[in-house]
Amino acid sequence: MGLFKRAGKPESAPQGPALVGLSTLLLQGEDMIDQLARAHMSWGLGSADRWGLDQRTGVITWTFPDKTATAPAQILGSWSPSSSSWRWAWANESILPEMSRDACAVRDWAEAHGHDALAAPEVEADEQTAATLAALAVRITKATGFYRGRGARSIAIITFGPVTLTAQDGSTSSFKIDSE
């Protein structure tokens, strides 16, 4: 499929170290997503009653019966299963520019390294391709939190930072992962 071929090279050309580099980033990104999921499950990620993202404040909120969890967030992109497409947040007019800084960082990295597919505003994407794009983006941005937010027509791919947990009695605690 040519989705991740280097710029300026014919599709059949060997991709050598550039491909190995992207393959390594992909494996690292997939591993990061697995590790982040396991770590964030300790406070309940994946089991919330509902979630919401306020673009004006840049905060994602998960609501549980006994607490809420909030974190600063960024939108990487969105995947639409019905249209089999991925759109980067920076190319989506419904996403505020300040919510797409991580997506812009991926685009800038892709342009600097000649990976045109990672810099295209929208690409054809099945579930596996969307997972690949998300994993590469998580690795490139060194995200410390990752969430797939299901919406009515698409799945928002979101990164997030330190989590503040607020219990019903108002007490708070925090959960942070150091990316270094």
Side-chain angles (χ1 to χ4, degrees):
M1 149 181 208
L3 182 64
F4 298 109
K5 74 179 185 118
R6 300 239 340 136
K9 298 203 180 213
E11 184 129 15
S12 60
Q15 297 179 22
L19 178 60
V20 172
L22 201 57
S23 295
T24 299
L25 285 178
L26 174 58
L27 291 172
Q28 291 171 342
E30 290 171 341
D31 187 51
M32 285 176 70
I33 287 172
D34 288 343
Q35 289 180 32
L36 292 170
R38 282 194 301 276
H40 285 289
M41 284 172 62
S42 68
W43 58 261
L45 183 66
S47 64
D49 293 340
R50 64 183 183 277
W51 73 279
L53 178 63
D54 184 336
Q55 287 195 54
R56 293 179 315 269
T57 63
V59 173
I60 188 168
T61 302
W62 295 274
T63 305
F64 302 86
D66 61 338
K67 66 184 176 224
T68 59
T70 58
Q74 285 284 297
I75 304 170
L76 290 174
S78 58
W79 175 59
S80 171
S82 62
S83 66
S84 295
S85 64
W86 170 281
R87 179 176 291 194
W88 289 102
W90 56 264
N92 188 331
E93 59 282 348
S94 69
I95 296 175
L96 296 176
E98 53 273 13
M99 292 301 299
S100 64
R101 287 188 312 267
D102 282 1
C104 288
V106 174
R107 179 195 60 207
D108 295 347
W109 180 92
E111 289 173 348
H113 291 86
H115 296 291
D116 293 341
L118 291 174
E122 188 169 326
V123 295
E124 192 173 307
D126 60 11
E127 187 171 6
Q128 182 57 51
T129 301
T132 296
L133 292 168
L136 287 168
V138 164
R139 171 57 183 88
I140 291 166
T141 62
K142 298 180 181 172
T144 59
F146 174 77
Y147 186 68
R148 292 176 187 92
R150 293 201 173 272
R153 295 184 315 240
S154 64
I155 298 170
I157 308 301
I158 300 166
T159 56
F160 60 90
V163 178
T164 299
L165 303 164
T166 305
Q168 285 180 333
D169 67 5
S171 63
T172 63
S173 60
S174 60
F175 184 90
K176 180 180 177 185
I177 293 178
D178 188 4
S179 65
E180 301 304 318

